[in-house]
Amino acid sequence: MTTKTITAGAPVAGDDFLVFGALRASINRIDERLLQLLAERARVAKDIGLAKRIAEKTVHDAEREQHHAEELRRLGETLGLSARTIRELFQVLARLAFERQIEVPNDKTQRVTPPDSDAFRLARWELGRSVTVVNVGEAQFGGGLFEVIGGPCAVESEAQINEAADHARAAGVRILRGGAFKPRTSPYDFQGHGLRALEWLADAAHSRGMSTVTEVLAPAHADDIACRADLLQIGARNMQNVPLLRACARTGRPILLKRGPGATIREWLCAAEYILLAGNPNVILCERGLRTFERETRNTLDLSSVAALRELTHLPVIVDPSHAAGRDELIAPLCRAAHAVGADGLIVEMHPCRENALCDKRQALSPSQLRGITDELQLVRTRY
Ligand code: PEP
Ligand code: MN
């Protein structure tokens, strides 16, 4: 026979329901209050979003948010809550507020299914469907934000990427770029530091609350890179590399698919189709310029593709003016143009000390040039 030791004040076996029932009821009441507070917080966030829109202010204020996060961390400490708990909780709250601020449009347009589009039937517009919104950490593409991805062409050292991350964060960037495997024209040029650069990139970004994007060059690398990066880039040279498209798609990570310098828009959409068909719906298209006869710019930025894609596809589209222009002084005007034509964001190269860049030096923005661009353009995108 088993005996139960009963200590004074402790629950008696038969009272389980009474005791735990009462405790559970209190928890449930607290949860309900939390939900009501959350809804109230979201309503206030929406009002803030509206006020910012009217005042044409950026949605994201990195400095204010960092200051607020620090205050919450200190308050959490006094309440016995770990810094990590506070950080994770407020990341979720910030995201909820953000979504309210931007009011994701339910873009069920009257646009018709494009003719002769069976070759990209998953990527094309269908009457009545809504736009695809791709989330990458705190960033969102296709939901009405104008995201600016920034960072160096290549991850050159741990110190360089940390410095770049500080500048990017200060500019309000939520996704840090950096190549670990570089597709260089000459085999004698710097090829990237490979997997160890990915660790540096991930540490630099994640410790500052940012996500990462990096290029995958070979199908065999896709899984290893997907373990460390939040968004996988398929570069312009590889747009039609079918084994690479499939390998990246299968990792389940969102994909940034650059347009090949000689690819038509339909070929580009067919490349996206391979990813969608492999079961990965999270594709962001990236226009980065075409190879033409023109020599004043590195490539010719085809912004008409952004407008044309709005007719053809539900996928979000961003613009890379860095590889198109090839010169830092042309980048800000091209960013403005990308915003005006209705892109969902930008990806730009920025180096903390551009004279020392090992890759694409001429087109690297300085940290203050990047800041100028995000201050001007990281707004809610109101035009569709
Ligand atoms: C890059 O973004 O680092 C890059 C090499 O771009 P693209 O593939 O457009 O040339
Ligand atoms: Mn580059």
Side-chain angles (χ1 to χ4, degrees), residues 153-154 177 182 298 323 349 359-360 363:
C153 179
R177 65 151 288 151
K182 292 304 303 171
R298 186 175 173 182
H323 291 89
E349 291 189 342
C359 198
D360 286 351
Q363 68 198 35

Side-chain angles (χ1 to χ4, degrees), residues 10 42-43 46 56 69 91 96 143 157 167-168 188 197 225 244 274-275 279 328 354 356 360-361:
R43 276 195 296 276
K46 191 173 168 188
E56 296 217 325
Q91 267 172 8
L96 256 178
S157 68
H167 290 298
Y188 303 112
I225 297 179
L244 184 65
Y274 275 98
I275 301 170
D328 66 311
R354 45 178 287 183
N356 300 336
D360 286 351
K361 187 190 291 215

Side-chain angles (χ1 to χ4, degrees), residues 275-302:
I275 301 170
L276 301 178
L277 192 59
N280 186 335
N282 294 311
V283 179
I284 304 163
L285 300 167
C286 177
E287 170 62 60
R288 48 77 73 202
L290 300 173
R291 170 63 66 92
T292 67
F293 53 80
E294 184 54 67
R295 297 273 71 90
E296 285 303 307
T297 50
R298 186 175 173 182
N299 288 285
T300 299
L301 185 59
D302 178 16

